[in-house]
């Protein structure tokens, strides 16, 4: 009877937990230019399902799809490549990858707890950003502070204040006289900066001439124009109106 039995072969795969998963990105992204994000899970059987989560200021963003996948059987490493084109607003976005392993049942069951990579924060770089021309109130004979706030990443390595009289090419202002006092650039955040110049003893020529700030970083240069006026530019305050009703 035993000789009539046919041998039955079973294939058994021992499930092993994924060893690690990492997220690899460039040190810095340039705004509006495509760059790759690489997700690298190591080990694990069966092969893990890889996903990516993106969030900014606590709000979830739509993750990009995988555009390429590579596998190294010898080292048991798989690589997933995703391309993203971040905007300036994406600076500071967090990216985190995760891996899940399921069995081969008709209704797959999770074998191990989900494994996460260390979150990566996007550093999106961009040249100094444009803004509209500003007007500052000045009083003849008195001093006026000019403060320009602008966005830039990285920080500008060159900032120059320029005065341009009608018909000339402009004069770069400095701290060499009592007329101008230029303060050091102030970082209001990692992407917002404040430049200030103090013009002493405002003259009629100061009111006529054109002034601007030139800010330059490794990605570009921006010109920020401003002007002076002796007019009152403060916001008008509402006045109380008393109404008398005669009966």
């Amino acid at each position: 009877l035993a000789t009539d039995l046919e041998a039955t072969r079973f294939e058994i795969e021992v499930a092993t937990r994924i060893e690690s998963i990492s997220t690899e990105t460039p040190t810095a992204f340039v705004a509006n230019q495509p760059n790759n994000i690489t997700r690298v899970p190591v080990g694990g059987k069966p092969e893990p399902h890889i996903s990516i989560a993106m969030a900014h200021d606590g709000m979830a963003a739509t993750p990009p799809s995988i555009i390429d996948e590579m596998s190294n059987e010898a080292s048991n490493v798989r690589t997933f490549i995703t391309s993203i084109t971040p905007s300036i607003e994406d600076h500071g976005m967090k990216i985190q990858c995760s891996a899940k392993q399921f069995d081969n049942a008709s209704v797959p069951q999770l074998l191990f707890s989900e494994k996460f990579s260390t979150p990566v924060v996007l550093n999106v770089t961009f040249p100094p950003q444009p803004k509209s021309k500003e007007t500052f109130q000045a009083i003849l004979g008195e001093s006026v502070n000019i403060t320009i706030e602008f966005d830039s990443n990285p920080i500008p390595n060159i900032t120059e204040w320029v005065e341009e009289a009608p018909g000339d090419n402009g004069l770069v202002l400095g701290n060499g006289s009592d007329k101008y006092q230029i303060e050091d650039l102030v970082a209001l955040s990692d992407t917002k900066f404040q430049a200030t110049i103090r013009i002493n003893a405002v003259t009629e020529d100061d009111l006529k001439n054109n002034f601007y700030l030139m800010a330059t970083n490794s990605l570009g240069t921006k010109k920020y124009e401003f002007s002076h006026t002796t007019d009152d530019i403060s916001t008008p305050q509402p006045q109380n109106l008393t109404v008398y009703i005669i009966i």
Side-chain angles (χ1 to χ4, degrees):
L1 180 62
T3 57
D4 295 333
L5 296 177
E6 294 184 4
T8 301
R9 180 172 179 169
F10 295 93
E11 291 188 3
I12 299 175
E13 181 180 28
V14 179
T16 57
R17 182 172 181 167
I18 184 174
E19 297 173 25
S20 64
I21 180 170
S22 61
T23 304
E24 300 173 0
T25 67
T27 303
F29 292 79
V30 178
N32 304 316
Q33 292 187 15
N35 277 278
N36 288 341
I37 297 174
T38 304
R39 291 164 278 178
V40 183
V42 178
K45 288 184 179 182
E47 290 184 346
H49 295 254
I50 306 300
S51 61
I52 182 172
M54 305 174 68
H56 196 200
D57 293 332
M59 301 294 292
T62 302
S65 57
I66 296 172
I67 60 172
D68 196 12
E69 179 181 345
M70 295 177 290
S71 181
N72 186 328
E73 297 295 338
S75 59
N76 199 19
V77 174
R78 299 166 69 203
T79 302
F80 301 84
I81 299 175
T82 295
S83 178
I84 65 170
T85 304
S87 65
I88 292 175
E89 291 73 21
D90 291 328
H91 178 76
M93 176 177 286
K94 291 183 179 180
I95 297 179
Q96 187 174 38
C97 299
S98 62
K100 293 180 180 179
Q101 294 170 268
F102 296 91
D103 62 20
N104 294 323
S106 56
V107 178
Q109 300 294 313
L110 188 65
L111 292 171
F112 306 101
S113 59
E114 188 173 6
K115 200 171 189 68
F116 296 91
S117 68
T118 301
V120 173
V121 178
L122 293 190
N123 177 25
V124 181
T125 59
F126 49 89
Q129 293 300 288
K131 62 183 304 182
S132 58
K133 183 176 181 179
E134 296 187 67
T135 300
F136 296 88
Q137 184 178 358
I139 299 175
L140 288 173
E142 297 189 11
S143 300
V144 60
N145 286 331
I146 308 298
T147 299
I148 305 291
E149 292 183 8
F150 59 92
D151 295 319
S152 173
N153 188 28
I155 181 175
N157 56 312
I158 299 175
T159 53
E160 294 179 328
W161 295 94
V162 180
E163 180 179 12
E164 190 175 76
D168 70 21
N169 294 323
L171 173 67
V172 177
L173 306 178
N175 280 320
S177 70
D178 294 334
K179 178 68 175 177
Y180 307 104
Q181 294 175 330
I182 300 174
E183 296 183 9
D184 292 337
L185 195 66
V186 175
L188 301 178
S189 71
D190 60 345
T191 60
K192 184 177 289 293
F193 301 91
Q194 176 181 281
T196 301
I197 183 173
R198 182 180 179 86
I199 302 175
N200 295 315
V202 173
T203 65
E204 290 283 359
D205 286 339
D206 293 329
L207 298 178
K208 297 175 183 177
N209 293 345
N210 184 37
F211 288 83
Y212 54 87
L213 169 70
M214 298 292 292
T216 301
N217 70 8
S218 57
L219 296 175
T221 300
K222 186 55 62 178
K223 178 180 180 180
Y224 299 103
E225 296 185 88
F226 62 93
S227 62
H228 304 100
T229 181
T230 55
D231 297 331
D232 187 357
I233 59 175
S234 60
T235 303
Q237 297 298 316
Q239 298 181 353
N240 294 329
L241 177 65
T242 302
V243 178
Y244 296 94
I245 302 176
I246 301 175
I247 301 178

